[in-house]
Amino acid sequence: MTLPLAWEELRRFVNGEPGYEGTPGVRSAEYPCELFDGLGYDGRGDCHSDGHYLCTECSHLSPEAPRFVEPHAGIGGHRRRYYGIALSRLDRIRAYRYTMERRRAAAER
């Protein structure tokens, strides 16, 4: 039997188990981060990230984080030379846009 989310959270809290990944303070069970707040990227933070995939969902992420200012290692050869930095900046724009869309949807509820 699956419990509703609120009851499941309470059960986890009472039993000393970590909360769900992505909730404030619980970025990941394997890679915890006390600063993680899940409020979304707003471009004003000062954390340079450790590269975790949920870092872009944290308001503490800095616009100067390596993921936004260094070329992507996954782009090969000559394409990295021409597109690396531009794609890193595009990631920052995407993270901000995603955050704004989430906040707008939450406000409409």
Side-chain angles (χ1 to χ4, degrees), residues 10 19 30 75 77 86 88:
L10 179 60
E30 293 180 21
I75 300 171
S88 296

Side-chain angles (χ1 to χ4, degrees), residues 6-26:
W7 287 110
E8 181 62 21
E9 270 300 309
L10 179 60
R11 183 193 67 77
R12 287 172 174 263
F13 176 76
V14 169
N15 293 319
E17 298 173 10
Y20 287 102
E21 188 169 289
T23 58
V26 185

Side-chain angles (χ1 to χ4, degrees), residues 67-81:
R67 69 188 311 134
F68 294 144
V69 296
E70 292 178 2
H72 284 285
I75 300 171
H78 70 283
R79 290 180 59 204
R80 182 181 314 147
R81 188 172 57 231

